[in-house]
Amino acid sequence: MGGAFGVVLLLGGLAVLIRHAATGADPVMAIPAGALAIVLGGFVVWRREALTLADLGKLALFSTLIVTVAIAARDTPYGAGYAYIWGAPFAVAASRRVGVAHFVISALSIAAAYAFQAAHVDDPAAFSEYASSWVIAVVSVGFVLLVTSVILSFLESTQAELDDGFERGILGMAFLDLGGRYQRVNPALAQMLGREVEELLGAQFSEFTHPDDQAVSLDALSQVVDQGTAVFDKRYVRPDGSSRWVCVHATILRDDQGVPSRIFAEHEDITARRRAEQAVRESETRFERAFEDAGVGMLILELDGTVQRANGAAAALFGAVPDEVKGTSIVVWQHPEERVAGREAASRLFSDGFPDMFERDVRYIRSDGHVVHTAATAALARDDEGRPAYTIVQLVDMTERLTARRREAALSTLGQLGLTTESMSPLLKETVRVVAETLDVSHATLLDGDGGDILAAWGWDGEPSRAHARAMLDSPGALVLDHAATELRFPTRALLDAGVITGAAVPIAGEGDAPFGILCVHAIAGEHRFDLEDVAFLESTANVVTAAVRRDAAERELRHRALHDPLTKLPNRALLTDRLRHALSRARREHQSVAALFLDVDDFKDVNDRHGHEGGDALLQALAPRLQGCLRANDTLARFGADEFVVVCEDLADPEEALSVADRLLEACAEPVTIGGPGGTVRRTASIGIALSGGADGDDADTLLRDADLAMHRAKLAGKGRYEVFAHAMRELALDRVAMLNDLDRALAGDELALHFQPIVDIRTGEIISAESLVRWHHPERGLVMPDEFIGLAERTGRIVELGRWVLREAARHAALWPGLSVGVNVSRLQLSDPGFVDEVARALGEFGVVAGRFTIEVTETALMEDPAAAETALLALRELGVTISLDDFGTGYSSLSSVSDFPLSTLKLDRAFLADHRPEAQRWSIVRAVLDMARTLELDVIVEGVETETQRARLAELGAIHGQGYLFARPLPAEALSELLHRGSPINT
């Protein structure tokens, strides 16, 4: 504000001088007044920062007083206006309101002064002069006020713009006292510090300064006070813990005495720049570290190829240290064959239009003379103007990798050959060749497992390798020969004579513990020294050969197994059939006969049941060599099935020869066999079927075997332990069975089957208490077929399960029609072994609403004892269901209650054979009484089957038998007939 007042004073002084010059008035006052105003204005402008508003007011009063005294001394009444003109700028500078008041008071005072003067002046002309002076004085005061107001408005606008620039400035600005406390802060600085403006006012700048920059800030503060200005970088800490870098421009502000009073500071946020600089420094550091610590060779080359810098890996690759490589030309280290290609690559790198980088494989020569294979990558670095500056080269040692690839390729080649070769000889020969070429040695040998025979050799006949190979057998692993002249573990004279200096030998494992062979390699002087990696390659090669050896053995074993029985080692069915075909072909050419003898061990299943499958296997193993000893020289014995053997007799001049072989076979089988364990001696006979070739009957191997099989079954039916010769009737019977089997499949799918029911009655009263279900087959061509004709066939072919399922549902359906009657169903062993059998019974009963207690499952002793565990599981589940279990045909199987006492039985059905036995009557009825007594002891009900006469019924009643079944009471009846009989309700045969 002092500057504004100084300008006003200057303008006021000039106005006084100009006014008096224009009017020609008294210059005595105009000149001193104007000069005084100009001098004071200049003083104010010079000291503008040191003058306060109070100082300006005092200066105005002092100046007005001087002018007033001067006017009074001149005694010029109209001169009072000069005093007001002089004070006008100060009044306006003080405020607009003071300026207006000053103008009014000055106008009234001048008017009063001139009116007073006019009262003493008689001369009109003088009065006119006074009046004009008054008007000029008033106008002058008003003009000065107007000009002063315009100037001050301009200055205030300029000051407002300066203040607005401070507040809205992009740079952070602040006024601080000399102690470093903020007096005024703009929003930009507050935003840099992450705080509010009010939060900073009065605070010490060090409160927000980063701890590491406190000393820098204090030094800068001292520099500003001492030198007037300072520029420095520092960090401020924001409330969230982050920091901001700022560049501070600080300037000292002084008072009118030149003493520092406060500090003005501008702050530029340079965080991004400092971070970029830090990133550059870190990048340079990382580059330095990466360059020095890189696991690959790094070189920096000048444009002429001179090594400017080399890291440790690159120097080690050259067999030197970095200082030895630095300053040398890269050409010095290149393999001579690489130098031309290297110059061409460098030329393209420096030429326009080519990439600034290339990759290629380069060989270098180490300081020890060894060749190093590398993968080199060269990149051209350019300066800021794009001109080539230097080249960065990266070298990756590929020597070991190339060696490894070469060895992997060799192993792969051998491995493929080992998988495809049909014999070992080509593989062994290729092995020694590949090993020698891969290791770059002169000689390779592969000897057999004891170091005796030479299986393959490369570069020599392999004879000098024998001592080395045999010594390896006594070594725990590979045996490396460092130098033949100093070797003491085995004789080396033969190797030295052959020029060999170094070598290595490894074993090749075989099928068992003994080695298959020994792989040896040997090198002449200066050719190769064998290290651990070489030994590892040789061992890998040995493993490949071992795999091939074992594969070959496995294939031979598979071929043998494919054609031989693993238990008896005899030819199997496939080999037998092939030999039989060839035998028949020769027999046709030579007009001779061939015989096929089909042998089946009698009651073999009993051996498995009593002695387990191990006992059965032992019997077969004992029989095989016995049977083989019964044959002629050109006969073939084969195991055809579980307990079946087939003998092919060739070159039969007389069919009687085949019968002689059969007799010897029967004698051999009949001899006792010891199979181990308690009771381990067994004696079994055999049944043999014989089929002879000749004409239409013997032209085909399959037909001959089928005929022999049929003859064997005929021998079984004839009493076992014998042989039968095939007749055409046997084949017709077999064909009839096949036809019946096909018809049975049709019957199961259609409606040809039906159930008949044979009543079971109370012997005493003749009352029907239950009925046994019996299946009948109404064949469209054969008529009524009885169970004996097809049940056995169904069991042998497995169709009994499906047939039994049909019978089960039909029996349950009819049982629902007879609420007071219990219905029984016969079940085979195959049904008992079926995991879903019990669920089928439950579903059938539930489907037709039959109470389980009115349903009886009838099983035979044979069915129980063939698979006791499965039978017991099924019967226990049926008993839980509530079904009654009945043992059918008792006396025809094991004939022992003790053998079946562990099963959950409810009823015992005494077989008809007890009543039809040819023993004396007294003995027969004693047996029946004993069975009835034992059954009562075991709390079993008894049903006597086969009651056909009244005498039998009466005798059974005397013995205490209650229930009976037989033709005396009723034959099996269709369901309708049984329903009618039940409806009548009359007793049967009482």
Side-chain angles (χ1 to χ4, degrees):
M1 190 64 76
F5 285 127
V7 173
V8 170
L9 285 171
L10 289 173
L11 293 176
L14 291 174
V16 170
L17 294 176
I18 292 171
R19 186 264 179 195
H20 282 283
T23 58
D26 185 4
V28 177
M29 284 303 301
I31 293 174
L36 178 60
I38 291 172
V39 171
L40 289 176
F43 174 75
V44 171
V45 171
W46 176 55
R47 297 298 305 276
R48 63 184 181 279
E49 296 296 338
L51 295 176
T52 64
L53 189 61
D55 295 333
L56 294 175
K58 293 176 182 178
L59 182 61
L61 292 176
F62 176 72
S63 303
T64 304
L65 179 61
I66 293 175
V67 173
T68 303
V69 171
I71 292 173
R74 284 286 295 157
D75 193 22
T76 303
Y78 58 81
Y82 294 124
Y84 290 105
I85 293 174
W86 179 260
F90 300 101
V92 175
S95 70
R96 297 292 189 275
R97 185 178 297 174
V98 175
V100 172
H102 179 81
F103 174 76
V104 173
I105 293 171
S106 64
L108 293 175
S109 298
I110 293 172
Y114 278 92
F116 178 76
Q117 290 292 335
H120 298 83
V121 177
D122 295 330
D123 186 357
F127 180 78
S128 176
E129 181 180 351
Y130 285 132
S132 61
S133 296
W134 173 76
V135 172
I136 292 172
V138 172
V139 172
S140 297
V141 171
F143 174 75
V144 171
L145 286 173
L146 178 61
V147 172
T148 301
S149 178
V150 171
I151 293 174
L152 289 179
S153 295
F154 171 76
L155 294 176
E156 288 176 356
S157 175
T158 302
Q159 184 65 36
E161 290 178 359
L162 293 175
D163 290 341
D164 185 62
F166 180 86
E167 294 296 328
R168 298 176 62 181
I170 298 176
L171 298 178
M173 291 181 283
F175 289 98
L176 301 90
D177 61 18
L178 298 180
R181 295 186 179 276
Y182 292 111
Q183 294 179 336
R184 187 179 181 187
V185 176
N186 73 340
L189 180 59
Q191 184 178 8
M192 286 183 196
L193 273 61
R195 304 175 187 275
E196 297 296 331
V197 172
E198 294 76 8
E199 186 179 356
L200 297 176
L201 294 178
Q204 181 76 26
F205 75 90
S206 60
E207 297 177 19
F208 315 109
T209 300
H210 193 282
D212 295 342
D213 295 338
Q214 292 286 356
V216 173
S217 298
L218 293 176
D219 292 343
L221 181 62
S222 300
Q223 181 182 349
V224 170
V225 174
D226 295 340
Q227 302 179 13
T229 184
V231 178
F232 60 97
D233 295 345
K234 64 176 292 185
R235 283 170 291 178
Y236 282 110
V237 180
R238 296 163 62 90
D240 60 2
S242 63
S243 60
R244 306 292 294 182
W245 276 99
V246 296
C247 178
V248 182
H249 295 257
T251 304
I252 194 72
L253 300 179
R254 301 177 182 276
D255 59 14
D256 53 353
Q257 303 299 322
V259 178
S261 59
R262 56 179 177 165
I263 301 171
F264 175 72
E266 288 183 331
H267 302 73
E268 179 184 1
D269 191 338
I270 59 171
T271 303
R273 188 185 74 195
R274 291 299 293 259
R275 287 177 179 172
E277 293 172 352
Q278 180 66 21
V280 171
R281 287 193 297 271
E282 291 176 354
S283 176
E284 293 175 349
T285 301
R286 285 195 299 269
F287 175 78
E288 289 289 330
R289 188 174 302 163
F291 185 88
E292 293 297 334
D293 299 340
V296 298
M298 300 290 292
L299 299 172
I300 297 179
L301 306 181
E302 296 179 4
L303 298 182
D304 61 358
T306 301
V307 179
Q308 185 183 103
R309 188 173 177 185
N311 70 348
L317 190 143
F318 294 153
V321 296
D323 288 342
E324 292 175 343
V325 178
K326 184 178 179 180
T328 64
S329 174
I330 191 63
V331 177
V332 173
W333 304 98
Q334 287 177 344
H335 192 282
E337 297 177 1
E338 299 284 354
R339 292 171 183 172
V340 174
R343 285 193 295 269
E344 293 176 353
S347 177
R348 289 192 299 271
L349 186 66
F350 301 147
S351 301
D352 295 335
F354 287 92
D356 285 352
M357 186 183 73
F358 68 82
E359 298 179 4
R360 72 187 192 96
D361 294 336
V362 184
R363 288 171 295 169
Y364 292 96
I365 304 296
R366 289 169 51 90
S367 58
D368 57 7
H370 284 80
V371 178
V372 180
H373 295 263
T374 69
T377 302
L380 180 64
R382 298 180 180 272
D383 58 19
D384 295 339
E385 298 179 1
R387 292 174 301 189
Y390 55 89
T391 304
I392 300 176
V393 178
Q394 176 179 293
L395 301 176
V396 179
D397 190 350
M398 302 293 292
T399 306
E400 293 183 0
R401 189 176 303 179
L402 291 175
T403 300
R405 289 178 182 174
R406 187 180 179 189
R407 294 180 178 182
E408 289 174 3
L411 293 174
S412 176
T413 299
L414 294 177
Q416 292 293 328
L417 183 60
L419 291 174
T420 57
T421 186
E422 296 182 358
S423 65
M424 292 299 298
S425 180
L427 174 63
L428 301 182
K429 292 179 180 178
E430 184 66 8
T431 297
V432 293
R433 183 193 69 81
V434 169
V435 167
E437 292 182 354
T438 302
L439 293 178
D440 294 326
V441 297
S442 304
H443 309 298
T445 312
L446 204 159
L447 299 94
D448 63 9
D450 59 3
D453 294 337
I454 297 173
L455 304 179
W458 178 263
W460 58 4
D461 59 5
E463 187 66 28
S465 300
R466 291 185 187 276
H468 191 176
R470 289 169 179 164
M472 195 282 308
L473 293 174
D474 298 328
S475 175
L479 184 62
V480 177
L481 173 64
D482 292 326
H483 200 287
T486 58
E487 179 60 55
L488 300 177
R489 292 170 292 182
F490 58 89
T492 60
R493 173 49 53 192
L495 293 174
L496 290 171
D497 291 344
V500 166
I501 298 299
T502 60
V506 297
I508 300 175
E511 300 177 52
D513 296 333
F516 167 79
I518 303 166
L519 177 61
C520 301
V521 288
H522 295 94
I524 61 176
E527 191 176 56
H528 197 92
R529 298 188 67 85
F530 297 92
D531 55 20
L532 293 178
E533 293 183 359
D534 296 330
V535 172
F537 169 68
L538 291 174
E539 290 175 341
S540 298
T541 304
N543 291 337
V544 171
V545 177
T546 295
V549 169
R550 292 176 177 173
R551 180 192 65 82
D552 181 68
E555 288 181 353
R556 284 188 279 106
E557 178 66 19
L558 288 175
R559 287 193 295 270
H560 183 272
R561 289 186 178 184
L563 299 174
H564 291 78
D565 171 49
L567 180 65
T568 63
K569 311 305 180 185
L570 295 175
N572 61 9
R573 180 182 303 197
L575 182 56
L576 171 81
T577 304
D578 182 69
R579 289 185 179 179
L580 180 56
R581 290 194 181 103
H582 285 86
L584 289 172
S585 178
R586 287 194 301 272
R588 282 192 295 270
R589 291 194 305 269
E590 300 173 5
H591 304 289
Q592 292 183 338
S593 295
V594 175
L597 285 68
F598 204 111
L599 183 150
D600 184 89
V601 180
D602 295 329
D603 301 320
F604 181 75
K605 184 178 182 302
D606 182 58
V607 178
N608 281 336
D609 292 340
R610 293 177 180 274
H611 301 279
H613 291 287
E614 295 81 1
D617 291 346
L619 175 60
L620 295 175
Q621 288 174 319
L623 285 177
R626 287 188 185 183
L627 299 178
Q628 188 71 50
C630 300
L631 305 183
R632 303 174 307 159
N634 57 347
D635 293 342
T636 299
L637 172 67
R639 185 185 179 193
F640 202 73
D643 58 339
E644 299 170 337
F645 296 88
V646 171
V647 176
V648 174
C649 296
E650 301 185 50
D651 304 327
L652 292 175
D654 186 347
E656 289 294 331
E657 295 184 49
L659 301 182
S660 299
V661 172
D663 286 330
R664 292 195 296 272
L665 292 174
L666 291 176
E667 292 176 4
C669 288
E671 294 179 4
V673 176
T674 302
I675 59 177
T681 300
V682 297
R683 187 190 300 271
R684 284 292 178 271
T685 59
S687 298
I688 302 176
I690 304 172
L692 297 170
S693 69
D697 294 340
D699 292 338
D700 179 73
D702 293 335
T703 301
L704 193 66
L705 289 173
R706 185 174 67 246
D707 292 345
D709 186 25
L710 289 172
M712 181 271 294
H713 283 288
R714 184 72 175 180
K716 292 272 189 186
L717 294 175
K720 304 178 182 178
R722 54 181 294 161
Y723 63 78
E724 288 283 343
V725 179
F726 173 78
H728 290 289
M730 295 181 187
R731 184 179 300 165
E732 293 173 0
L733 179 61
L735 294 175
D736 182 65
R737 288 180 179 176
V738 172
M740 179 172 283
L741 188 60
N742 293 332
D743 292 345
L744 181 58
D745 289 337
R746 186 191 66 237
L748 289 171
D751 56 356
E752 298 178 14
L753 301 177
L755 286 186
H756 286 198
F757 299 89
Q758 185 174 24
I760 298 172
V761 303
D762 189 320
I763 292 177
R764 300 163 299 179
T765 64
E767 179 186 359
I768 300 175
I769 60 172
S770 62
E772 180 182 359
S773 303
L774 301 169
V775 65
R776 297 293 185 266
W777 181 5
H778 296 281
H779 195 283
E781 298 174 359
R782 304 186 187 204
L784 183 63
V785 181
M786 300 303 289
D788 291 344
E789 298 182 56
F790 66 88
I791 291 297
L793 181 62
E795 287 186 340
R796 287 194 300 273
T797 59
R799 288 167 175 80
I800 192 66
V801 175
E802 184 178 355
L803 177 60
R805 189 178 296 118
W806 180 88
V807 171
L808 184 66
R809 290 190 73 259
E810 282 296 297
R813 183 173 68 85
H814 285 91
L817 303 176
W818 307 317
L821 193 69
S822 178
V823 176
V825 174
N826 292 286
V827 173
S828 73
R829 67 173 181 85
L830 293 178
Q831 289 177 275
L832 286 179
S833 300
D834 184 3
F837 172 67
V838 177
D839 292 336
E840 290 176 1
V841 174
R843 281 196 298 270
L845 297 178
E847 181 180 355
F848 297 106
V850 178
V851 177
R854 291 197 305 107
F855 207 76
T856 301
I857 296 297
E858 298 187 14
V859 296
T860 64
E861 295 176 79
T862 303
L864 293 180
M865 300 312 296
E866 284 188 348
D867 192 351
E872 183 179 9
T873 300
L875 295 182
L876 287 173
L878 289 171
R879 189 176 66 177
E880 290 292 327
L881 192 63
V883 173
T884 302
I885 310 300
S886 176
L887 181 62
D888 194 16
D889 298 337
F890 177 75
T892 62
Y894 292 87
S895 301
S896 172
L897 281 176
S898 62
S899 64
V900 295
S901 60
D902 293 334
F903 294 97
L905 303 175
S906 302
T907 304
L908 189 70
K909 297 187 75 174
L910 189 63
D911 189 78
R912 68 182 70 247
F914 284 91
L915 300 185
D917 198 341
H918 297 293
R919 292 185 180 92
E921 184 176 354
Q923 185 179 1
R924 185 170 70 246
W925 288 110
S926 296
I927 294 174
V928 172
R929 179 188 292 111
V931 172
L932 291 174
D933 290 342
M934 285 188 295
R936 279 192 291 268
T937 301
L938 296 175
E939 298 182 350
L940 295 175
D941 293 334
V942 177
I943 298 173
V944 181
E945 297 180 314
V947 182
E948 298 181 357
T949 67
E950 179 61 30
T951 302
Q952 291 174 337
R953 185 192 70 79
R955 182 60 175 155
L956 289 171
E958 291 177 4
L959 295 176
I962 298 176
H963 302 130
Q965 180 181 4
Y967 289 172
L968 174 65
F969 307 112
R971 290 177 178 275
L973 305 170
E976 296 79 5
L978 180 59
S979 296
E980 182 179 350
L981 191 61
L982 292 172
H983 181 70
R984 287 203 312 265
S986 59
I988 300 178
N989 292 337
T990 56

